[in-house]
Amino acid sequence: MNEERRIEVEEVDAVAPPPRARVEDARETFERKRDYLEGFLSQKPADLPAGQPGGATYDAIIDALKDIFDPEIPVNIYDLGLIYNVEVTDAGHAVVTMTLTTPHCPVAESMPGEVELRVGAVPGVGHAEVNLVWDPPWDPAKMSDEARLELGML
């Protein structure tokens, strides 16, 4: 069982170089395939209720909230993480649950009123209500990445 294995060796003087790749060849061989995601990402869901996330009224309320800025911090209250929840009924009743950075905030009396006025002015909202809560307390972890970048925290 002691068979001897032999490797055959072939000697050559030269080897032809492989052909070089050319851009013209690649264009002919590799056509651009159809983009199956074309338009998919920009398409809105069909029959989405106006008061649900992605709906016209809900998005308009969020845009209105992004126009309200904390007077001490140059960031809007939505990106600052002060808005905890937005609910909109089919009848156009909007309820915003929010907090402030601290209970002793100088705008503790005026900010909820401003939020109520701005949300109430959104087309499709018949009545706006603001619930100011302190639990859970606000902390910087609730801020969006945009707010952190604006404040130099990233």
Side-chain angles (χ1 to χ4, degrees), residues 1-153:
M1 301 233 30
N2 285 339
E3 291 183 27
E4 191 175 310
R5 294 186 180 187
R6 299 190 77 176
I7 298 175
E8 292 186 29
V9 177
E10 178 182 352
E11 291 186 24
V12 294
D13 292 330
V15 175
R20 291 185 169 238
R22 297 189 318 242
V23 175
E24 294 81 23
D25 294 340
R27 285 188 187 142
E28 293 171 9
T29 320
F30 299 105
E31 294 178 19
R32 186 168 192 270
K33 303 289 189 247
R34 180 174 175 228
D35 189 0
Y36 290 100
L37 292 178
E38 185 178 329
F40 175 76
L41 298 176
S42 63
Q43 183 179 1
K44 290 271 187 183
D47 301 329
L48 190 64
Q52 297 299 314
T57 305
Y58 184 90
D59 287 349
I61 290 172
I62 299 302
D63 289 341
L65 293 171
K66 287 184 176 183
D67 285 340
I68 304 171
F69 285 79
D70 186 296
E72 297 176 328
I73 305 170
V75 176
N76 69 66
I77 63 171
Y78 188 81
D79 288 333
L80 198 53
L82 298 179
I83 305 300
Y84 287 172
N85 191 25
V86 175
E87 294 178 22
V88 185
T89 66
D90 292 337
H93 181 80
V95 179
V96 176
T97 304
M98 66 174 291
T99 192
L100 297 172
T101 53
T102 176
H104 305 293
C105 182
V107 294
E109 292 183 17
S110 62
M111 181 69 72
E114 183 178 356
V115 170
E116 186 175 328
L117 285 173
R118 296 273 184 109
V119 171
V122 170
V125 175
H127 181 280
E129 180 183 335
V130 175
N131 293 328
L132 187 61
V133 298
W134 302 110
D135 188 32
W138 178 86
D139 66 80
K142 296 183 184 323
M143 293 191 309
S144 69
D145 288 342
E146 291 83 8
R148 290 179 196 179
L149 183 63
E150 180 70 28
L151 296 174
M153 297 173 72

